[in-house]
Amino acid sequence: MNTTNTFGDRVKELRKQKGMNQEKLAEVLFLESKSTISSYETNRRMPAADVLAGMAVALETTVDYLLNGEIEKNETINQALLILQQLSPELQKVALEQINILNRL
């Protein structure tokens, strides 16, 4: 995955890598039209936090990468972040508690 210059560039690149058109991504994110995705990809708008989180899951990346273009170098951390993003807030809390327990060992 190449680091690109803008949020919109990163969204477009990842969407294409997934073989999705704008309409399909809009559908996955429960947005009304592909024009919303177009406005994100051209940097005219930024998504709300809930849409951004869903976008990261749909594009199998992290919110940090979408916003900042930064890719965590540790693949284990990348995988853990992707899994955590897909959990409900309650399960995220449980998972973090378990990580803290492991960290104390």
Side-chain angles (χ1 to χ4, degrees):
M1 186 179 325
N2 295 329
T3 302
T4 52
N5 293 330
T6 68
F7 170 81
D9 292 337
R10 290 185 287 277
V11 170
K12 185 175 183 177
E13 176 184 319
L14 291 170
R15 175 182 58 76
K16 287 183 174 187
Q17 286 178 8
K18 292 285 169 208
M20 300 172 92
N21 59 26
Q22 290 178 341
E23 187 173 346
K24 180 63 180 173
L25 183 56
E27 179 184 315
V28 168
L29 297 173
F30 303 103
L31 300 173
E32 291 189 20
S33 74
K34 71 176 188 173
S35 66
T36 304
I37 301 299
S38 175
S39 68
Y40 298 153
E41 290 182 358
T42 56
N43 300 297
R44 290 181 304 216
R45 288 180 54 189
M46 286 296 289
D50 60 331
V51 174
L52 181 62
M55 189 179 292
V57 171
L59 298 175
E60 296 182 14
T61 190
T62 63
V63 170
D64 192 41
Y65 175 73
L66 290 174
L67 291 176
N68 304 313
E70 296 174 10
I71 301 171
E72 175 58 50
K73 302 291 188 239
N74 186 321
E75 188 58 33
T76 302
I77 292 174
N78 282 340
Q79 290 173 358
L81 286 172
L82 290 173
I83 292 167
L84 282 170
Q85 287 175 336
Q86 295 177 43
L87 298 176
S88 68
E90 296 82 21
L91 288 177
Q92 287 178 359
K93 184 177 178 183
V94 170
L96 289 175
E97 288 170 358
Q98 294 297 314
I99 291 169
N100 282 325
I101 289 169
L102 290 171
N103 191 41
R104 287 185 228 132
L105 295 179

